[in-house]
Amino acid sequence: MELRARDHVRGLTAVLSVVSLALVFGAVLGAIPRGTIPQAPDSVLNAIPHMNAAISTVAIVAILAGVRFIRRGETKNHRRMMLTSFGLFATFLVLYLYKLVVKGTETFPGPDSVYQFVYLPTLAVHILLAIVCVPVVYYVLLLALTRPIAEVFDTKHARFGRIAASLWLISFVLGDVVYVLLYVVY
């Protein structure tokens, strides 16, 4: 019996989502011991938020370009941009989780009123959208990667792709807002 990924996109999406979110929650909740990961110099750890802000901004541009390409019918360019945005997201996530496990979370340095009414709600929506994006992005990605381009149009890729792109964009933008509040404004 032959097992083909294209016949198991939902199951693969579920497995990848559970594994990915388990890694994220494991890092956030301190389940990954700091001693198991090599420690980078402070200069590298301190540079990660700035690198991640740049990565997020480039990912925003890549997603917008991908949307524009597909609207023009340029499927190969669309595919390149969306794979680029996924690669950027994966890079962002690895760097973020590494810093989180090794150094922990950042304390908001600004006034309590900004913390309570701006920073926390922005961060909460960013995190919620990032969590929701994981299975949607995997689903869209797997639909596209397990079929020739001509067959992708016969799937739910376009419908879920619109959702994924919208939520992903908002999440990346809010992530940049969190960065600005933590490292630029305060």
Side-chain angles (χ1 to χ4, degrees):
M1 181 166 114
E2 180 183 348
L3 291 176
R4 297 180 346 166
R6 69 180 285 143
D7 298 330
H8 302 282
V9 168
R10 288 184 184 170
L12 287 169
T13 298
V15 169
L16 289 170
S17 298
V18 167
V19 169
S20 298
L21 292 172
L23 283 171
V24 171
F25 283 107
V28 170
L29 298 173
I32 301 171
R34 288 186 178 159
T36 62
I37 297 176
Q39 174 95 23
D42 282 342
S43 60
V44 172
L45 291 172
N46 293 334
I48 288 175
H50 310 295
M51 290 187 299
N52 272 350
I55 289 169
S56 293
T57 303
V58 174
I60 291 167
V61 172
I63 294 168
L64 290 172
V67 169
R68 185 169 181 176
F69 283 132
I70 200 61
R71 286 185 179 161
R72 292 179 174 175
E74 298 178 35
T75 54
K76 287 182 183 178
N77 287 332
H78 167 75
R79 186 180 194 126
R80 271 194 280 269
M81 286 298 103
M82 292 313 189
L83 287 173
T84 297
S85 64
F86 183 78
L88 290 166
F89 168 70
T91 303
F92 170 94
L93 192 58
V94 167
L95 290 171
Y96 173 76
L97 292 177
Y98 175 77
K99 181 181 176 291
L100 185 65
V101 169
V102 172
K103 195 171 181 181
T105 58
E106 293 293 328
T107 304
F108 183 72
D112 191 51
S113 59
V114 173
Y115 174 75
Q116 187 174 3
F117 297 110
V118 179
Y119 178 77
L120 279 182
T122 303
L123 181 62
V125 172
H126 164 68
I127 290 170
L128 178 65
L129 289 177
I131 291 168
V132 170
C133 279
V134 169
V136 180
V137 168
Y138 276 139
Y139 183 66
V140 170
L141 182 67
L142 288 169
L143 283 174
L145 292 179
T146 59
R147 291 159 173 75
I149 289 177
E151 291 181 24
V152 173
F153 295 104
D154 298 329
T155 69
K156 296 179 181 179
H157 176 84
R159 183 180 335 155
F160 281 90
R162 285 184 202 96
I163 295 167
S166 299
L167 297 179
W168 222 4
L169 279 170
I170 296 167
S171 180
F172 273 127
V173 168
L174 292 177
D176 279 353
V177 170
V178 167
Y179 166 80
V180 168
L181 288 171
L182 277 175
Y183 298 99
V184 178
V185 175
Y186 299 105

